Amino acid sequence: MTRIEHVNCPTVSADGLTLYFQMSDPDLQSRLRVGTRADAKQPFAGFTNVGALDVTADNERDPYITRDGALFFVREPKDGSAPTDLFSAP
């Protein structure tokens, strides 16, 4: 069976060297992923889950990077037990 993932909400840092996006797997679990590049002429590579966010059972989505590099995102409990909240990550 082929695993299909959906990529949504890309956002690029002001210097163009960091890309964040939301990736949803077939089980509808959403994670924020990040990739970097050495300069604007290179492709993004080395995509990984965003650090400490990877340990939560909640869904992270809708990443946004401010001009000064702060990452904001929405987190919602996967089971729908609480309201959706806005978070920031260093």
Side-chain angles (χ1 to χ4, degrees):
M1 175 181 278
T2 302
R3 181 178 177 145
I4 297 173
E5 297 176 339
H6 299 279
V7 175
N8 299 302
C9 305
T11 184
V12 177
S13 61
D15 63 8
L17 302 180
T18 305
L19 169 68
Y20 288 91
F21 60 92
Q22 169 191 334
M23 181 175 283
S24 302
D25 64 28
D27 297 325
L28 300 179
Q29 183 71 29
S30 292
R31 290 282 170 250
L32 296 186
R33 305 272 291 170
V34 61
T36 58
R37 60 185 177 181
D39 62 64
K41 295 179 182 179
Q42 300 297 317
F44 289 101
F47 293 101
T48 60
N49 287 331
V50 175
L53 302 181
D54 190 35
V55 299
T56 179
D58 296 336
N59 288 314
E60 288 92 22
R61 59 182 178 84
D62 303 326
Y64 177 79
I65 305 173
T66 63
R67 287 184 183 222
D68 63 358
L71 171 65
F72 287 86
F73 62 95
V74 173
R75 178 179 283 165
E76 61 185 4
K78 190 173 180 182
D79 65 5
S81 63
T84 299
D85 290 314
L86 179 66
F87 287 85
S88 177

